[in-house]
Amino acid sequence: MHKLGKLGKPYGVLMQWGNADVSLLEALAVGAITGLVTALTTLLLATRFLIPNMKRLAVSWSRINLNDLLVTVHVAPWQTESRTHLKPINSLVPWRTLLDQVAFDPATLHPKAAPQIQEISLSTIIGSRARRPLALSLPALLIAPYHSMGSPIDAKLALAQISSVAGSAVVSGPGPYLPAQRAYAEHWILQWHLGQPGPSREMIQLADMAEVSLGQKSRKTTPAKNHKRLPLRVKRWSAHQRPIGLGASSLPQLLSQLRRGNPDIPVGVKILASQHLETDLAAVIQWAPDFITVTGSEAQRNSDLSDQFGIPTAIAIKRARDWIDQHAMSHISLIASGGIVSAADIVKLLALGANAVNIGPHLPWAVNQENEASLDIGQMALQGSRWFDATAKNMRVILQSLGLEDLGDLDRSVLYARTNQAAGLLGIPAAQPPSQGRLAVQLTALIDEYQRLISSLQRQVTLLQPQAVDSRHA
Amino acid sequence: MHKVVILGARFAGSAVSYWINKLFSQHEITVTVVDQWTVMTYRPSLVMAAAGHPIIADQWHIAMKRRCEKAGQHFVRDSIFRIDPQQQHVYLASHPPLPYDTLFVATGSDQGWRTIPGLGPEHGGVCEDYLARETGDRVQQPFHSLVIAIGPLLQSPADRPHLVGSLDAPGLEVSFLLDAWFRKQRRRDHVSITVVTPAPVPGEFLGPKSQEILATELCKRKINLVTDAHYERVSHSAIYFTDRKPLSSEKMIWVPPYPGSRLARISGIDDGYGWIPVDQYGAHRTWPNIYAVGDISTTALPKIGHMAMLQARTAVHHFYAVQQRKRPSPLRPYVLHVGWLGYGRGLLTLSDWLYGGSHELVHVGISSALAKACFNHAYKIFSGWLPLMP
Ligand SMILES: Cc1cc2nc3c(=O)[nH]c(=O)nc-3n(C[C@H](O)[C@H](O)[C@H](O)COP(=O)(O)OP(=O)(O)OC[C@H]3O[C@@H](n4cnc5c(N)ncnc54)[C@H](O)[C@@H]3O)c2cc1C
């Protein structure tokens, strides 16, 4: 440093870097070394992770944010595992969702006896008052992706297979009826978007549960045109695809149509969670649904306006459960939808008051759509079922560490908030003193990171010093 | 033109469409085949997929739609909801009702997962491609105990011969194949295998000689056998019985209970137990223009593919004889079955023992396994329409 300092003003410009004086050349030398190290690390990462995934990354670049990128890079070698453990480095990435600001309060010195993990039950019942309630071994309902780079039909069929081997159910999703989807799914939920051609009486009778979806974009199936040229059988089929009872498109009419079609199964409504959620619930409750699905803002990830609408899933579930309990309607099952990607997410939402959750249409095990496109139904199904297997195991581990034997024993007392914001929003105790909010936590993390960077630079500078002295003496 | 509708396109339905194509000209009848899948999953190969080779589950699909359309038959992919025998219509989920003059019902038995409390396909299975694939994948994980359980056959008590297990042969095949596979993987000493069946003997439908061979083989290979099982309920990790201690297991593979067919029940053409009552020609006892072939029919005992093919032949020949005013010949049932024993060996049984006969030809060895492999491949190559049909 001294020698360089003597080189004169143009080269010896001193810079203040932390609390050390550094000349321009020293800084350049340090920069070169750091650059070299960074380049080597990048090269290593590129050969190990990025190049094998380059095609996927390139195609899906526009849809990927930093979170996704980190996850993509990490997930490549062990894609089949649950993504529960693949949270990106906490310090620089903000909380993914409000749920990430919530943690479990483990049973410690005075727990109930920790149950045997094998005996922990994950089963749930939806629509307990229906003649044939939906009994699931895993409280997750799978939703088929709306847009898929691969064949959406293949994705739907794979999901139906996954739902059966996972002990859950599959939601029919938009688009034409798929007999194979019904055949693969042990539990098939007929979903009906307002404004779409209605299902036939037979479809309603083949369903294990039916849901009218409000507030989703209605996706119209294109009717066959140019009827004259079509073969007779196709014309007859096309004539059969008439909407039923959709003239008025009113929800009560549709619900009663579904009930008449199949009086045994639970019938419910799916709504977007808005700031006036309670008013919506009061309106929906008039039609005596067996269940209500509440979709939080995290569900809209694929649109440009993404999470600009609605309230987060966690808050929606908390408010909906409070409202339902206050009105003594606890026989109505509550299903959470939107942004659920891990076992922890599922258990947290169940603790906040949901009876089950929707998984999809952004499938947590699909690293991205392009990857899915290159897989056949069998591979997709295996990937998904492995994810569910890992997720069910993780859910059992969480319950065991909470000292619980059954999902039904979950309540908000097992949760605490990592931030005051989450504590306030979700009505659960906070773990931090009141002065530290989310921003404060992130700023502290940022400062820590910079301090680490500075001290590592200082170390490198000191390493350079003896060499400089030696060369001067030589 | 006479409208023939065939419901189901696997062993039984495919054999019906073969015989119709063979006996009738296209000018006499129109044929429509309905199934929810356009491809047939060839079930006898699923046992291999479940025994650690999941990829096989997706390799044994036979394009039935293509096969039928090549022969000038119509193929409709849809869920069959109900048959109206009076109106002579079949109601489908997303197509208009299908009128028929003669109907062949070959839709098999449903899988009665929910007939045992707590049981579901999530416990592991082998009877469909996605179940066998999943099982083949799961057995690759480390674990120490495996139970292969056979569900009951929920049959009318009046039916003879009376069998109690849904179908134990695939369960036994999986146990032998897995035993061999685990040994190859050097895992066998760490994994206990138990076969549980509601029947009093293994190989219930085969015959005394084959049953003895199977019992000896199980014992020799240290595969535990629990017979006369009465299931009470099933949990994530154990099977509970009504009359004995529960059996814990880390992994399970189920051949589920056979409860008959919901379609037959809803249509009011069943025997009160979900099976379609038929005469010795396969014709319905009340509706003579409805034939039931394969697993769905009461007399199709045991529920195996070979029997389904025999029934299809008898039913279509009866239909043909009626049209031509000829004398039809009734079904003469016998069992022809080859089960895998692992290590490239098979157990061949040809027997009429179940139907009061005394003939039982049994052969254990590589040649039996080869015969089965040849049949399987021939079935696949010819899409079920073999040059020589049983
Ligand atoms: C794992 C396993 C291995 C076996 N191995 C052998 C063996 O080695 N040898 C042997 O002889 N037998 C074997 N069997 C038995 C044999 O597979 C069955 O007996 C045979 O499949 C019965 O044929 P099926 O056509 O009557 O009925 P299924 O095979 O059950 O076929 C019924 C068809 O109808 C369709 N269908 C049903 N309901 C509907 C609906 N509502 N709407 C639309 N379509 C519908 C289904 O999609 C299916 O394609 C095995 C069975 C299993 C499970």
Side-chain angles (χ1 to χ4, degrees):
Chain A
M1 181 159 62
H2 295 293
K3 187 191 169 198
L4 292 174
K6 283 178 196 161
L7 286 175
K9 279 272 167 183
Y11 307 101
V13 181
L14 289 178
M15 294 166 67
Q16 197 68 24
W17 187 274
N19 49 6
D21 288 343
V22 186
S23 77
L24 183 61
L25 272 186
E26 276 173 322
L28 282 176
V30 171
I33 292 168
T34 321
L36 197 69
V37 172
T38 318
L40 281 174
T41 318
T42 316
L43 198 69
L44 192 76
L45 270 177
T47 45
R48 181 85 210 280
F49 303 114
L50 286 178
I51 290 176
N53 294 305
M54 196 58 87
K55 194 175 138 234
R56 273 190 277 147
L57 283 177
V59 177
S60 56
W61 190 256
S62 56
R63 288 194 299 273
I64 278 185
N65 58 25
L66 179 61
N67 253 349
D68 290 1
L69 182 60
L70 286 170
V71 171
T72 309
V73 168
H74 279 81
V75 87
W78 52 82
Q79 306 171 350
T80 52
E81 297 285 324
S82 161
R83 263 168 68 170
T84 312
H85 61 290
L86 294 174
K87 290 272 164 60
I89 308 146
N90 273 339
S91 59
L92 288 178
V93 181
W95 303 107
R96 186 180 52 86
T97 63
L98 184 60
L99 277 181
D100 284 350
Q101 300 178 42
V102 176
F104 298 107
D105 195 13
T108 49
L109 286 181
H110 304 290
K112 288 185 241 164
Q116 284 283 311
I117 195 150
Q118 290 295 326
E119 280 154 27
I120 294 175
S121 162
L122 300 180
S123 57
T124 192
I125 287 189
I126 301 175
S128 54
R129 285 209 183 157
R131 270 188 240 166
R132 219 175 68 209
L134 185 68
L136 302 176
S137 306
L138 191 73
L141 316 176
L142 277 77
I143 304 188
Y146 297 147
H147 307 287
S148 173
M149 296 289 287
S151 159
I153 293 181
D154 283 1
K156 280 184 170 185
L157 299 187
L159 279 186
Q161 298 184 357
I162 295 166
S163 74
S164 284
V165 296
S168 62
V170 75
V171 180
S172 63
Y177 171 76
L178 297 176
Q181 186 195 38
R182 176 65 199 97
Y184 285 131
E186 179 68 8
H187 298 295
W188 184 70
I189 302 171
L190 172 66
Q191 191 184 52
W192 187 353
H193 292 253
L194 269 185
Q196 277 208 324
S200 65
R201 272 174 58 89
E202 286 78 13
M203 284 179 209
I204 300 173
Q205 299 214 357
L206 286 168
D208 295 300
M209 182 158 113
E211 178 181 78
V212 178
S213 176
L214 308 174
Q216 297 272 355
K217 263 189 267 174
S218 76
R219 278 156 238 278
K220 291 209 164 92
T221 43
T222 331
K225 287 187 183 150
N226 222 349
H227 270 240
K228 274 187 197 156
R229 286 202 210 137
L230 295 172
L232 181 68
R233 282 175 335 110
V234 179
K235 274 194 242 171
R236 284 175 60 209
W237 177 82
S238 160
H240 193 65
Q241 306 299 302
R242 64 192 185 282
I244 52 170
L246 281 171
S249 282
S250 85
L251 183 62
Q253 271 181 343
L254 298 182
L255 287 175
S256 65
Q257 193 126 29
L258 286 173
R259 285 227 167 77
R260 271 203 311 278
N262 193 341
D264 294 343
I265 58 170
V267 173
V269 177
K270 182 173 191 171
I271 54 174
L272 284 178
S274 63
Q275 190 53 21
H276 47 273
L277 177 67
E278 287 76 7
T279 325
D280 286 348
L281 289 173
V284 169
I285 271 349
Q286 291 173 41
W287 306 306
D290 296 298
F291 68 93
I292 299 176
T293 305
V294 177
T295 309
S297 53
E298 296 92 331
Q300 318 273 316
R301 259 190 17 197
N302 62 339
S303 96
D304 287 345
L305 292 173
S306 66
D307 48 5
Q308 302 299 314
F309 290 94
I311 59 174
T313 311
I315 301 175
I317 288 303
K318 187 243 168 205
R319 281 171 51 179
R321 173 51 63 200
D322 288 348
W323 192 91
I324 286 175
D325 287 349
Q326 273 161 25
H327 291 78
M329 299 266 177
S330 39
H331 61 275
I332 297 179
S333 308
L334 184 60
I335 300 172
S337 181
I340 298 145
V341 296
S342 68
D345 288 353
I346 300 174
V347 180
K348 286 173 193 173
L349 285 167
L350 297 180
L352 283 170
N355 297 96
V357 301
N358 277 343
I359 305 261
H362 305 283
L363 307 174
W365 59 88
V367 176
N368 61 41
Q369 310 262 356
E370 191 54 24
N371 181 31
E372 283 290 281
S374 60
L375 300 177
D376 63 24
I377 297 181
Q379 289 167 318
M380 272 192 260
L382 271 187
Q383 219 182 46
S385 66
R386 283 177 194 154
W387 185 87
F388 269 104
D389 196 35
T391 301
K393 275 188 194 130
N394 286 348
M395 286 173 72
R396 287 198 170 87
V397 169
I398 294 173
L399 286 186
Q400 189 187 33
S401 55
L402 296 174
L404 303 178
E405 275 181 23
D406 197 300
L407 278 184
D409 302 334
L410 277 171
D411 61 24
R412 288 179 203 163
S413 68
V414 303
L415 302 177
Y416 77 87
R418 286 166 167 165
T419 64
N420 290 319
Q421 184 204 19
L425 290 169
L426 300 174
I428 50 176
Q432 292 174 14
S435 60
Q436 284 201 319
R438 174 181 159 180
L439 192 63
V441 172
Q442 284 182 6
L443 276 177
T444 318
L446 204 63
I447 290 165
D448 283 353
E449 202 96 333
Y450 272 114
Q451 274 175 351
R452 271 206 300 278
L453 187 68
I454 288 162
S455 53
S456 104
L457 281 173
Q458 279 175 341
R459 265 201 309 279
Q460 290 176 31
V461 169
T462 18
L463 277 177
L464 283 173
Q465 272 179 355
Q467 285 172 5
V469 171
D470 284 347
S471 58
R472 190 184 53 190
H473 284 295
Chain B
M1 260 212 288
H2 193 93
K3 291 193 261 319
V4 172
V5 172
I6 304 167
L7 306 180
R10 281 198 185 164
F11 271 108
S14 148
V16 169
S17 67
Y18 167 87
W19 285 112
I20 292 212
N21 184 59
K22 189 152 176 92
L23 296 180
F24 294 90
S25 95
Q26 283 186 21
H27 310 293
E28 291 171 87
I29 53 172
T30 61
V31 183
T32 307
V33 182
V34 190
D35 201 302
Q36 55 208 356
W37 285 300
T38 52
V39 292
M40 164 188 184
T41 297
Y42 187 73
R43 284 161 134 194
S45 290
L46 295 182
V47 290
M48 296 229 169
H53 307 286
I55 197 163
I56 292 180
D58 295 299
Q59 290 172 346
W60 282 83
H61 286 148
I62 298 169
M64 276 303 161
K65 179 173 190 280
R66 209 168 53 210
R67 171 73 271 178
C68 295
E69 287 178 346
K70 232 165 132 181
Q73 303 174 345
H74 300 299
F75 192 100
V76 176
R77 175 176 42 181
D78 207 342
S79 308
I80 307 155
F81 177 67
R82 189 168 62 88
I83 299 160
D84 184 339
Q86 263 155 354
Q87 300 291 320
Q88 298 191 181
H89 274 97
V90 177
Y91 290 88
L92 308 174
S94 58
H95 286 80
L98 204 57
Y100 67 84
D101 297 312
T102 300
L103 181 70
F104 289 87
V105 189
T107 47
S109 169
D110 298 339
Q111 304 206 354
W113 293 106
R114 304 291 154 192
T115 55
I116 299 177
L119 180 63
E122 66 274 13
H123 287 98
V126 60
C127 294
E128 291 297 344
D129 51 0
Y130 61 102
L131 295 172
R133 184 203 306 128
E134 178 66 20
T135 300
D137 191 53
R138 282 183 192 174
V139 293
Q140 300 187 3
Q141 299 165 3
F143 61 90
H144 302 290
S145 55
L146 169 72
V147 167
I148 297 161
I150 319 299
L153 178 73
L154 306 175
Q155 199 188 7
S156 156
D159 270 354
R160 291 289 176 272
H162 196 71
L163 297 173
V164 275
S166 53
L167 189 64
D168 63 359
L172 293 165
E173 287 182 284
V174 174
S175 74
F176 290 130
L177 291 170
L178 271 177
D179 166 71
W181 185 72
F182 283 141
R183 280 178 210 275
K184 206 169 149 198
Q185 310 259 312
R186 298 180 198 285
R187 284 172 64 193
R188 184 62 178 95
D189 291 343
H190 312 290
V191 183
S192 75
I193 305 180
T194 306
V195 175
V196 183
T197 169
V201 282
E204 192 186 10
F205 66 85
L206 293 176
K209 277 192 219 160
S210 298
Q211 287 162 357
E212 205 184 308
I213 290 171
L214 285 172
T216 316
E217 191 75 13
L218 286 169
C219 187
K220 221 167 67 191
R221 313 260 290 256
K222 296 200 173 66
I223 300 172
N224 309 315
L225 176 68
V226 176
T227 54
D228 298 300
H230 295 106
Y231 302 106
E232 185 189 76
R233 68 186 171 92
V234 177
S235 78
H236 171 63
S237 55
I239 301 176
Y240 296 81
F241 303 95
T242 53
D243 52 356
R244 68 181 85 191
K245 277 202 271 178
L247 183 63
S248 304
S249 178
E250 282 171 75
K251 295 263 179 268
M252 293 181 206
I253 302 173
W254 278 83
V255 177
Y258 279 14
S261 156
R262 180 176 182 250
L263 170 66
R265 278 196 197 92
I266 288 183
S267 310
I269 54 169
D270 72 324
D271 59 357
Y273 291 85
W275 311 95
I276 300 184
V278 290
D279 62 16
Q280 53 189 338
Y281 304 105
H284 194 285
R285 293 196 180 273
T286 317
W287 309 98
N289 64 339
I290 297 181
Y291 292 89
V293 286
D295 285 5
I296 197 172
S297 115
T298 20
T299 57
L301 296 171
K303 309 281 177 211
I304 55 169
H306 176 256
M307 189 65 73
M309 292 169 89
L310 284 186
Q311 279 190 293
R313 181 192 188 121
T314 311
V316 180
H317 276 86
H318 179 264
F319 169 50
Y320 179 74
V322 171
Q323 302 286 309
Q324 307 290 320
R325 297 176 204 287
K326 288 186 179 163
R327 243 176 77 107
S329 45
L331 177 73
R332 284 199 193 84
Y334 62 93
V335 169
L336 174 59
H337 186 268
V338 183
W340 302 111
L341 292 177
Y343 303 112
R345 293 181 313 137
L347 165 65
L348 180 140
T349 309
L350 179 68
S351 138
D352 60 0
W353 169 85
L354 204 59
Y355 306 96
S358 56
H359 298 296
E360 191 187 3
L361 182 98
V362 172
H363 181 257
V364 176
I366 293 176
S367 48
S368 298
L370 266 178
K372 177 156 178 147
C374 286
F375 179 85
N376 289 353
H377 281 92
Y379 197 96
K380 191 177 170 196
I381 289 165
F382 293 106
S383 303
W385 290 20
L386 298 168
L388 271 178
M389 288 288 273

